[in-house]
Amino acid sequence: MERELQLQDNMMDPIAFAASSDPDKMYLHEAMKAPDKRQFMKAMVKEVSSHQDNQHWLLMKRTSIPKGKKVLPAAVWAMKRKRRITTREIYKWKARLNVHGGKQTKGVDFWETYSPMVTWNSIRTFMTLALVNNWHTRQLDFVLAYPQADVECDMMYMEIPPGFKLPAGKSSKDYALKLCRNFYGSRQASHVWSQYLTKGLIPFGFVQSKIDECVFYQGKLILMVYADDCILMSPNNQDIDDIIKLLRETVKGTRPFDVTDEGDISDYLGVKVTRLDDGTITLTQPHLIDQIIEDLGLKENTKTKDLPALTSKVLNKDVNGNPFNEKWNYRSVVGKLNFLEKLTRPDLAYSIHQCSRFSIDPKESHAQAIKQIGRYLMANRDKGIILKPNPEMGLEDWVNADFCGAWDRQYAMEDPTTARSRSGYAIRYCGCPITWRSKLQTEVALSTTEAEYVALSQSLREVLPIEIT
């Protein structure tokens, strides 16, 4: 078919947005100033061509659009360099076209937005099960996932994407694109895709888990989904091949899924998955640690630390302390540390929770605590979770409480939370860590026994779903 949209000759006049803190993620105006802008331009052409080839939109004159229908403002380009985790070399330039969902109106062109994602508790649990039972694993990627679903609102319109123009004789001011499929950037995009995928898996015999909405069972075959990234597990490798083949075919009136088989799990959601010769699996995030160290401005010759937090000091609000005066963004670094801890570093649970509590009004003392964690990570960059299950061990809940461990009479009036006890627990299956937590209790315990019971109650809320799963 003839291309309706063509790349502009002048690429320096798109809408500008705030820059991302990740140098590999950027908007169009930043990508067009980058030395590899040609690769990004090719990615843009590929993205638009894919939408046109699959008829994800229709070119319409604005005069034919029903009166009162909104044409969403110029779409937003999200650009990204994708790198290999081990070598950090760029292997793909990605350009994602998004509709400007911020201009949508609830109840008019969108309704529900909630979309579940598989939890890492489930991922770690089933990876351990796969090791115990010698199951095969496979990683899948749904290509242009969201537009595979039908559009929720029948009449959604979008302006001509920035960076593209219409053929000679047609003005972008006189035309718009009618969206025929669910589109990236819309407020309901992830919700619509999740519902579409769930309904699409039922004809293949999959049953949705009642504990984790993104885990599906078909006999002993298990499928886990995080947006458009999927993990398949089964005792039989042929069963995995068969289900991938079925997903690509039309079954009982369903449309085929466009899915890519990426082989055994190696890099899932930014986590490096390494399978050793003895069958052990390690989960690490060295690239994220490098980003954190770079954000903090720590040099190679910086002295490292043996512990992520000082054992002699518990952080408090430090109301009269020196204000935060660092070049790096406190909330951004805390966010990355939280992501690191929740996925692969249980040893950071206590220290990061302490720092996270003061993200609204950080002081210099809190900045020093963050740097302590950074120096600790420099000495433990390649550390992570080791999944080496022992079948003789079952489900274990290791739990403890620190009764009023943060109590400080000097700051009690300014920060009443110092009277709270801290809960800490680690849940293991076959000796492998499944989930963990370090947090302040929500109520003030009046005795060591009470603090222990509260901590046990909190941990059992995590144990029961795992046991049922």
Side-chain angles (χ1 to χ4, degrees):
M1 76 184 265
E2 181 182 354
R3 297 294 180 205
E4 296 170 339
L5 302 182
Q6 302 168 359
L7 201 64
Q8 284 182 356
D9 298 324
N10 181 7
M11 295 291 291
M12 298 304 293
D13 58 351
I15 296 177
F17 291 85
S20 168
S21 60
D22 186 343
D24 286 331
K25 294 181 181 179
M26 61 196 77
Y27 290 107
L28 181 56
H29 69 285
E30 299 170 290
M32 291 305 103
K33 297 176 183 178
D36 50 356
K37 75 173 186 177
R38 292 294 175 188
Q39 283 82 358
F40 281 120
M41 291 169 69
K42 290 178 182 178
M44 292 170 65
V45 172
K46 181 180 178 181
E47 174 82 354
V48 169
S49 298
S50 296
H51 286 301
Q52 293 183 150
D53 292 343
N54 291 286
Q55 300 179 348
H56 292 164
W57 60 50
L58 290 175
L59 184 66
M60 296 183 63
K61 285 190 173 182
R62 288 182 181 253
T63 53
S64 63
I65 297 175
K67 188 176 181 180
K69 289 296 179 181
K70 185 189 303 181
V71 178
L72 295 175
V76 179
W77 281 102
M79 324 295 273
K80 182 179 180 180
R81 302 183 187 97
K82 301 196 77 171
R83 297 179 182 269
R84 303 192 187 282
I85 281 188
T86 51
T87 62
R88 303 304 296 155
E89 66 172 322
I90 302 172
Y91 69 92
K92 185 177 181 181
W93 284 261
K94 190 172 182 178
R96 174 69 74 215
L97 179 60
N98 302 273
V99 67
H100 202 323
K103 298 297 182 179
Q104 289 181 262
T105 304
K106 186 172 184 179
V108 177
D109 47 15
F110 83 94
W111 288 266
E112 296 292 332
T113 59
Y114 169 73
S115 174
M117 302 291 174
V118 67
T119 66
W120 270 92
N121 291 0
S122 296
I123 294 173
R124 288 186 290 260
T125 300
F126 285 111
M127 289 185 78
T128 303
L129 278 171
L131 286 173
V132 171
N133 297 288
N134 294 316
W135 287 356
H136 300 274
T137 59
R138 201 79 62 84
Q139 187 171 336
L140 306 180
D141 177 58
F142 289 94
V143 182
L144 274 177
Y146 289 7
Q148 293 189 40
D150 296 316
V151 67
E152 181 183 45
C153 182
D154 187 46
M155 293 187 180
M156 281 186 65
Y157 302 89
M158 177 179 75
E159 292 182 354
I160 305 301
F164 284 80
K165 62 182 180 180
L166 296 174
K170 294 183 179 180
S171 171
S172 299
K173 296 180 180 180
D174 299 327
Y175 287 84
L177 300 175
K178 179 183 179 182
L179 302 180
C180 303
R181 307 304 293 270
N182 184 42
F183 214 80
Y184 288 101
S186 62
R187 299 283 291 274
Q188 71 271 37
S190 60
H191 171 78
V192 172
W193 161 247
S194 176
Q195 296 295 308
Y196 176 79
L197 179 62
T198 301
K199 292 178 182 178
L201 291 174
I202 293 175
F204 301 108
F206 281 101
V207 178
Q208 189 177 25
S209 168
K210 295 180 180 180
I211 302 300
D212 192 327
E213 296 176 75
C214 292
V215 176
F216 300 85
Y217 306 96
Q218 187 206 66
K220 290 188 176 181
L221 191 146
I222 297 168
L223 183 148
M224 295 179 286
V225 183
Y226 191 102
D228 57 356
D229 293 302
C230 173
I231 292 178
L232 276 170
M233 296 180 177
S234 175
N236 192 334
N237 208 24
Q238 186 60 47
D239 291 344
I240 296 179
D241 292 333
D242 292 342
I243 198 65
I244 293 174
K245 183 179 179 181
L246 282 174
L247 287 171
R248 292 169 174 165
E249 296 176 353
T250 302
V251 177
K252 297 181 182 180
T254 63
R255 285 198 303 266
F257 287 100
D258 189 357
V259 61
T260 301
D261 183 351
E262 298 186 341
D264 198 8
I265 308 172
S266 60
D267 173 15
Y268 191 68
L269 305 179
V271 175
K272 180 183 176 183
V273 182
T274 306
R275 193 183 292 271
L276 305 180
D277 294 337
D278 62 353
T280 302
I281 288 180
T282 62
L283 306 178
T284 57
Q285 294 171 278
H287 59 294
L288 180 57
I289 292 176
D290 290 340
Q291 288 182 25
I292 293 168
I293 293 172
E294 183 179 350
D295 288 348
L296 294 176
L298 300 177
K299 307 299 182 183
E300 290 186 7
N301 58 353
T302 301
K303 185 178 180 181
T304 59
K305 297 292 184 179
D306 296 328
L307 295 173
L310 296 175
T311 57
S312 59
K313 183 178 181 181
V314 178
L315 292 182
N316 53 50
K317 286 186 177 180
D318 197 11
V319 177
N320 300 318
N322 295 327
F324 177 81
N325 189 28
E326 301 286 341
K327 295 180 179 179
W328 43 275
N329 186 299
Y330 189 92
R331 291 188 185 184
S332 175
V333 173
V334 165
K336 292 178 181 179
L337 286 170
N338 268 317
F339 186 73
L340 175 68
E341 178 263 323
K342 292 289 184 280
L343 271 57
T344 63
R345 296 299 294 260
D347 55 326
L348 302 178
Y350 168 71
S351 56
I352 292 176
H353 181 264
Q354 279 206 105
C355 297
S356 301
R357 295 176 55 222
F358 310 106
S359 297
I360 295 178
D361 184 23
K363 302 293 184 179
E364 183 58 30
S365 58
H366 306 138
Q368 294 304 315
I370 292 284
K371 288 183 177 181
Q372 169 93 13
I373 299 174
R375 293 189 179 99
Y376 171 75
L377 289 174
M378 290 180 69
N380 300 274
R381 175 185 177 274
D382 296 312
K383 302 294 184 181
I385 289 177
I386 300 175
L387 301 181
K388 189 176 183 179
N390 180 356
E392 297 181 359
M393 301 174 68
L395 186 61
E396 302 173 324
D397 180 14
W398 296 79
V399 57
N400 206 342
D402 182 13
F403 174 60
C404 288
W407 171 252
D408 191 325
R409 183 185 297 273
Q410 181 181 353
Y411 293 100
M413 295 299 293
E414 299 170 348
D415 185 5
T417 60
T418 61
R420 293 183 185 176
S421 302
R422 177 173 289 274
S423 297
Y425 58 82
I427 300 168
R428 304 193 304 177
Y429 178 66
C430 292
C432 298
I434 301 301
T435 184
W436 51 85
R437 194 91 183 258
S438 175
K439 60 176 291 186
L440 290 181
Q441 297 179 358
T442 54
E443 55 281 305
V444 177
L446 301 180
S447 68
T448 302
T449 303
E450 185 177 338
E452 296 283 358
Y453 272 112
V454 171
L456 181 61
S457 173
Q458 291 175 330
S459 67
L460 287 176
R461 295 170 203 171
E462 298 277 3
V463 171
L464 292 177
I466 296 173
E467 189 173 29
I468 295 172
T469 301

